[in-house]
Amino acid sequence: MALKLLHSADWQIGRIYAQFEPDDAAALFEARFLSVERLATLATEHKVDAVLVAGDVFDAQTVSDKSIRRLFNAMMGYPGAWVMLPGNHDAALAESVWTRAHRLGVVPPNAVICLEPSVRIVGERFAVLPAPLTQRHTYGDLTEWFSFASTPEGLHRIGLAHGCVQGVLSDDVDSANPIAANRAATAGLDYLALGDWHGSKRIDERTWYAGTPETDRFRANDSGQALLVDIAAPGAVPDVQTLQIGRYRWQQMEPRLAVPSDLDETLQTLAETRSDDVLQIRVYGVCDLNGQRRLQQAVEAARARLRALVYESHALRLEPTEEDFASLRADGYVGEVLQQLRTEQDGPQADRARDALVVLARMLDELGSRPAATGTEARA
């Protein structure tokens, strides 16, 4: 008996994007509901037997009632089974977002919420062995019971878990909620659907992370996808395909400026960004006053074009040239201060003098770039 599944995870409905401007944060918040609607459409188009959601459906236990209702509304496009697992963000506590959803009466009959570690039979086609988190962090392998669980003969055995596969993911990944790397083999699973790692990742031929369907961080890890899993018969090796889900493309730029061509290349890359990009740009190195002006103009143009942009320039050192100073046209006392700061750059207070020089140069440049006041404005 063949089985077709759509594997997703880490929806994190209700996530707040505090690092962005309010309108951008609202669009990214909304995109997570739209990704669930897209999953429902794809599940229907591919005629899957069920959608597996391997934890972190919600971003926090405190998401609003409105967000809970909207989530289940977004799932309405697919009438088949949605098999959902609590993760570390929405753990199955005694009082949780899941108990609140049940009290609200919004959980549809086709949603199989796995709040306990017990075998669930779905549609008489497959057995789910879930490992729900009942607290945010555990340090024992909650999938261990899979290896001793019996399921009806002739049904596919599907594991569902949320955590960190031991010895496989990079060293900087939190080691809480461990999962044995060979769990699919020891438990005789046809497929082990995992969540927690936000990108799609193959652990072995039967064990995969689906990743979040809508990218949510500046890390290149194959996120924004879901997995279409075809299993020809119990015991057969799954055929796994990635399906693109996400709308927004999160990117990082970390240019290091040393020569004029570095700036030109950075400006060209900025100009090629698209309206659905979410960009973080951190600039390092040195540039003159004219270069800084060009870079700032390009960043502001990109900010208006992109979905969201975060700009960090604290590591960019501004070193005005002789031409920059001449263009400032500072005279009188201000000119004397400029000259004094330029001289002190070679003294014991060089760093402080250079910082003060940069600040003053920027202020003069901004004043010089303002349009001259008309006679009426000057008298007002």
Side-chain angles (χ1 to χ4, degrees), residues 66-355:
K66 179 181 179 180
S67 289
I68 296 174
R69 293 178 183 276
R70 289 192 64 197
L71 177 277
F72 289 108
N73 286 343
M75 294 162 48
M76 291 177 62
Y78 173 64
W82 296 79
V83 185
M84 310 175 81
L85 184 80
N88 59 304
H89 281 255
D90 54 4
L93 310 175
E95 175 60 31
S96 71
V97 62
W98 300 104
T99 57
R100 192 147 50 96
H102 282 289
R103 279 201 305 274
L104 290 171
V106 296
V107 180
N110 61 325
V112 181
I113 314 297
C114 301
L115 301 180
E116 298 177 352
S118 59
V119 175
R120 303 290 294 269
I121 306 300
V122 180
E124 301 301 323
R125 296 181 63 82
F126 65 100
V128 174
L129 287 70
L133 288 171
T134 56
Q135 58 191 58
R136 188 173 179 85
H137 296 304
T138 62
Y139 294 93
D141 188 345
L142 299 183
T143 69
E144 189 173 0
W145 74 274
F146 293 0
S147 298
F148 310 101
S150 61
T151 55
E153 190 172 344
L155 295 187
H156 297 264
R157 284 170 63 91
I158 306 297
L160 191 61
H162 188 91
C164 179
V165 174
Q166 299 301 283
V168 174
L169 299 181
S170 57
D171 294 337
D172 61 343
V173 175
D174 190 351
S175 61
N177 310 319
I179 299 170
N182 63 344
R183 183 60 65 209
T186 63
L189 301 177
D190 293 301
Y191 185 75
L192 176 54
L194 297 178
D196 194 33
W197 181 248
H198 280 215
S200 297
K201 187 175 183 65
R202 179 186 186 273
I203 302 302
D204 60 39
E205 62 185 7
R206 299 183 184 275
T207 307
W208 287 72
Y209 282 98
T212 179
E214 182 65 48
T215 302
D216 59 2
R217 59 188 63 178
F218 296 106
R219 178 184 292 174
N221 62 353
D222 290 329
S223 57
Q225 302 178 132
L227 302 178
L228 184 64
V229 183
D230 276 294
I231 311 174
V237 175
D239 175 55
V240 180
Q241 302 176 46
T242 58
L243 301 178
Q244 189 63 39
I245 301 290
R247 174 177 179 180
Y248 296 115
R249 184 178 66 159
W250 290 52
Q251 298 189 86
Q252 278 182 311
M253 288 178 57
E254 295 189 346
R256 186 170 296 275
L257 307 184
V259 295
S261 60
D262 295 335
L263 177 61
D264 293 338
E265 183 178 340
T266 299
L267 299 183
Q268 180 62 35
T269 303
L270 270 173
E272 292 172 354
T273 52
R274 308 188 308 233
S275 60
D276 283 343
D277 285 342
V278 178
L279 177 66
Q280 179 185 66
I281 176 169
R282 294 172 174 163
V283 187
Y284 300 84
V286 296
C287 75
D288 59 21
L289 190 60
N290 182 58
Q292 191 273 342
R293 186 188 301 118
R294 292 172 62 203
L295 178 60
Q296 190 65 41
Q297 291 172 347
V299 166
E300 293 309 315
R303 192 188 303 279
R305 182 175 65 254
L306 307 183
R307 176 60 279 165
L309 184 146
V310 177
Y311 177 52
E312 299 177 16
S313 61
H314 57 269
L316 178 64
R317 180 180 172 130
L318 180 58
E319 294 188 352
T321 64
E322 292 294 334
E323 291 77 11
D324 288 332
F325 284 115
S327 70
L328 295 176
R329 298 189 298 276
D331 52 16
Y333 175 72
V334 175
E336 293 176 6
V337 171
L338 269 176
Q339 185 58 45
Q340 181 67 26
L341 291 173
R342 293 180 68 187
T343 302
E344 291 180 2
Q345 287 189 101
D346 298 321
Q349 300 294 323
D351 289 342
R352 182 176 298 180
R354 189 174 295 110
D355 290 343

